[in-house]
Amino acid sequence: MSNFEKQIEIQRKKVFKSPPKIQLISPCEIGNGIIKLCPEEEKQYIDKFNHEKPEISFFVPASGSGSRMFQFIFDYLSNNNKSEAINTLIMHLHKFAFFEKFDLTIKEKISSKSLSINEILRLIVDPKGLNLASFPKGLIPFHKKGKQLLNPFQEQLLQGMELHNNAKFHFTVQEEFKIEIQKSIAELKTKVQEISFSYQDKSTNSIAFKENGETLLSDDKKPFRRPAGHGALIHNLDKIEDEYVFIKNIDNVQHFEKRHVALKTWRILAGVLMKFKEEAREILDSPSLQALKTLNNKYQFCSEQSINQISSSKEISNLLNRPSRICGMVINKGLPGGGPFWVENNGEISKQIVEKAQISEKQDQVNILHKSSHFNPVLIVASPCDIHGKKINLNNHIDHESYFIVNKNQKGKAIKYMELPGLWNGAMSDWNSIFIEVPMESFSPVKSINDLLEPPHNAN
């Protein structure tokens, strides 16, 4: 049996056994896993970042298609599925940045109401129109700055360079759009120290199976494969050498006039991580269990159980020299996203960011889920290095059993396959994690095109 055949069998067993579920102990809350900083503390961390200005990289997953942003349009065009979302879009069409991409004739027809709703919607999504739904989300114009239209790739660069003028940027993208993305970035005419791109490694793609357990075959009679989720990007992240890496999603970017809260948040999170590593180095210079407990009381980066099991200087060193991350957490207002929880795995209690799909439907687990006060908006300052800045092999810190089982429809056939442990879920399972409450204004995702009408995406 070849290695590939062995891999098929391993995945088949995982896909058709009961999916792994995380055992929740309790949600992380303020004072119990989540830290709420006072203004004076925030200033101290901001000052630390501004004073030391370490080299940083932004790591921005940006391969997502923009098609989901327009799903309600496709529902209307295919099924005449009328909705309030359609009414909102049509009523406020002139407020969207992409409206400026229509030629003058089209704008006049829209203004004079001489085009039907169907015709307007097709101008937005059809290939003969703007064809916006075929682009990656990062290439869709989000905002207007004067007469300039800015997409998320451009605005991520502008925000990041304001934070640190020597920041480096790494985007994970769809390979077929790389040239167009580069052209878009070049339009800024802004000098950036380093911009790099990578793609989700196709070798990580999962095998798709029919419901009867058979391997689904593609048209060329080879096993059909699906991308294995954003957890595959841990291999891309592992190639970044900087000690401080700022991780955020491509669509979480505010209008240029509304950027200040997000930039302040980044400075605070980075300052916290820098201070944590500095204090951890001091402990390693003179290892002490009491000093470790004091550090943990301040940063709440691991469970008391983990601390109490430590009995030697080597174990203190092993604990502190894991990769570390500061994760912003916003108050849960019903938006989708992973939540911060204390969980138990093989008798070990740890802090994790957990997705709803990882949680059992047992009533006690559902009750804990519903008590969660915060969720993860993917504002993460990560250090893929040890306490002294030496790069760590991130592959050694993945919980490979925190995979997901996905059910999809492929050309009319029901299929099942596994996704790898999520990038900020199981792929970072063994990291030292510090959760900090951050303001909602630092998080403005665009899941639907109508989200661009919300205050964070408008200059006023």
Side-chain angles (χ1 to χ4, degrees), residues 69-88:
M69 294 169 57
F70 303 94
Q71 187 57 50
F72 68 97
I73 294 180
F74 291 118
D75 291 342
Y76 180 91
L77 293 174
S78 59
N79 304 314
N80 197 28
N81 188 0
K82 297 178 182 178
S83 65
E84 189 58 38
I86 292 292
N87 296 336
T88 299

Side-chain angles (χ1 to χ4, degrees), residues 165-323:
N165 57 9
N166 286 323
K168 303 169 190 170
F169 297 85
H170 184 89
F171 298 97
T172 63
V173 300
Q174 299 175 46
E175 190 170 1
E176 61 268 32
F177 287 100
K178 180 181 175 181
I179 292 175
E180 193 150 359
I181 292 167
Q182 289 174 316
K183 287 180 180 177
S184 169
I185 289 171
E187 289 173 6
L188 287 178
K189 297 180 180 177
T190 301
K191 188 176 180 181
V192 182
Q193 180 180 346
E194 183 181 311
I195 303 174
S196 57
F197 303 92
S198 65
Y199 322 110
Q200 190 164 315
D201 186 353
K202 288 184 172 58
S203 71
T204 66
N205 286 0
S206 293
I207 308 298
F209 301 95
K210 301 177 187 177
E211 288 195 312
N212 64 4
E214 293 179 5
T215 305
L216 180 70
L217 300 181
S218 59
D219 293 339
D220 60 3
K221 305 303 180 185
K222 293 181 179 178
F224 184 77
R225 306 184 73 174
R226 296 272 312 195
H230 60 66
L233 299 181
I234 194 70
H235 305 294
N236 305 59
L237 178 62
D238 192 43
K239 292 181 172 63
I240 294 183
E241 298 293 331
D242 282 332
E243 186 174 1
Y244 296 99
V245 183
F246 292 57
I247 303 173
K248 63 185 301 196
N249 282 329
I250 186 69
D251 65 331
N252 183 22
V253 64
Q254 302 75 31
H255 189 282
F256 190 77
E257 298 296 328
K258 302 288 182 70
R259 68 198 186 280
H260 301 291
V261 173
L263 291 176
K264 176 183 176 182
T265 299
W266 280 124
R267 291 185 176 100
I268 292 168
L269 297 181
V272 172
L273 185 52
M274 293 165 66
K275 187 64 175 174
F276 167 74
K277 295 191 72 171
E278 178 183 291
E279 294 178 9
R281 283 194 296 272
E282 292 174 0
I283 290 176
L284 290 185
D285 289 339
S286 181
S288 155
L289 185 57
Q290 184 55 50
L292 182 63
K293 288 182 178 180
T294 300
L295 185 74
N296 192 49
N297 288 338
K298 179 177 179 180
Y299 293 103
Q300 304 169 37
F301 62 94
C302 65
S303 68
E304 287 187 21
Q305 178 213 50
S306 297
I307 297 291
N308 291 333
Q309 289 176 344
I310 289 175
S311 59
S312 69
S313 298
K314 184 176 181 181
E315 289 177 349
I316 292 176
S317 176
N318 289 341
L319 175 67
L320 295 178
N321 273 313
R322 298 188 296 187

Side-chain angles (χ1 to χ4, degrees), residues 21 31 36 39 47 53 114 120 153 258 317 325 396 419 434 459:
K21 295 297 181 183
K36 185 176 178 66
D47 288 346
K53 275 288 178 78
S114 60
I120 293 173
F153 282 106
K258 302 288 182 70
S317 176
R325 60 178 179 166
N396 295 333
E419 286 192 350
I434 299 171

Side-chain angles (χ1 to χ4, degrees), residues 15-110:
V15 166
F16 287 97
K17 76 176 185 180
S18 297
K21 295 297 181 183
I22 292 223
Q23 182 68 27
L24 303 181
I25 301 298
S26 67
C28 293
E29 300 171 316
I30 300 296
N32 180 29
I34 300 176
I35 299 168
K36 185 176 178 66
L37 300 171
C38 69
E40 183 179 330
E41 290 172 317
E42 289 181 346
K43 183 180 183 306
Q44 290 173 356
Y45 291 123
I46 290 171
D47 288 346
K48 183 166 186 62
F49 174 76
N50 287 341
H51 176 69
E52 296 187 21
K53 275 288 178 78
E55 290 190 5
I56 67 170
S57 285
F58 278 88
F59 183 85
V60 185
S63 60
S65 169
S67 58
R68 291 182 185 175
M69 294 169 57
F70 303 94
Q71 187 57 50
F72 68 97
I73 294 180
F74 291 118
D75 291 342
Y76 180 91
L77 293 174
S78 59
N79 304 314
N80 197 28
N81 188 0
K82 297 178 182 178
S83 65
E84 189 58 38
I86 292 292
N87 296 336
T88 299
L89 175 71
I90 297 299
M91 185 182 303
H92 300 285
L93 196 62
H94 64 285
K95 295 182 180 179
F96 289 92
F98 70 77
F99 182 79
E100 302 305 324
K101 295 183 77 69
F102 289 126
D103 62 36
L104 187 58
T105 303
I106 295 296
K107 287 180 182 177
E108 289 175 350
K109 286 182 178 180
I110 292 172

Side-chain angles (χ1 to χ4, degrees), residues 351-405:
K351 283 168 63 173
Q352 304 291 338
I353 296 172
V354 182
E355 305 294 330
K356 186 176 180 181
Q358 296 177 275
I359 299 171
S360 164
E361 294 180 359
K362 292 180 180 178
Q363 193 58 50
D364 67 318
Q365 296 292 286
V366 173
N367 291 342
I368 294 172
L369 172 65
H370 288 161
K371 290 178 183 176
S372 179
S373 59
H374 291 71
F375 78 96
N376 163 50
V378 192
L379 288 167
I380 299 173
V381 180
S383 182
C385 302
D386 68 13
I387 291 303
H388 297 288
K390 182 180 178 183
K391 181 70 177 63
I392 294 172
N393 184 346
L394 302 184
N395 298 298
N396 295 333
H397 296 270
I398 300 172
D399 175 8
H400 293 283
E401 293 305 308
S402 291
Y403 56 87
F404 300 85
I405 303 300

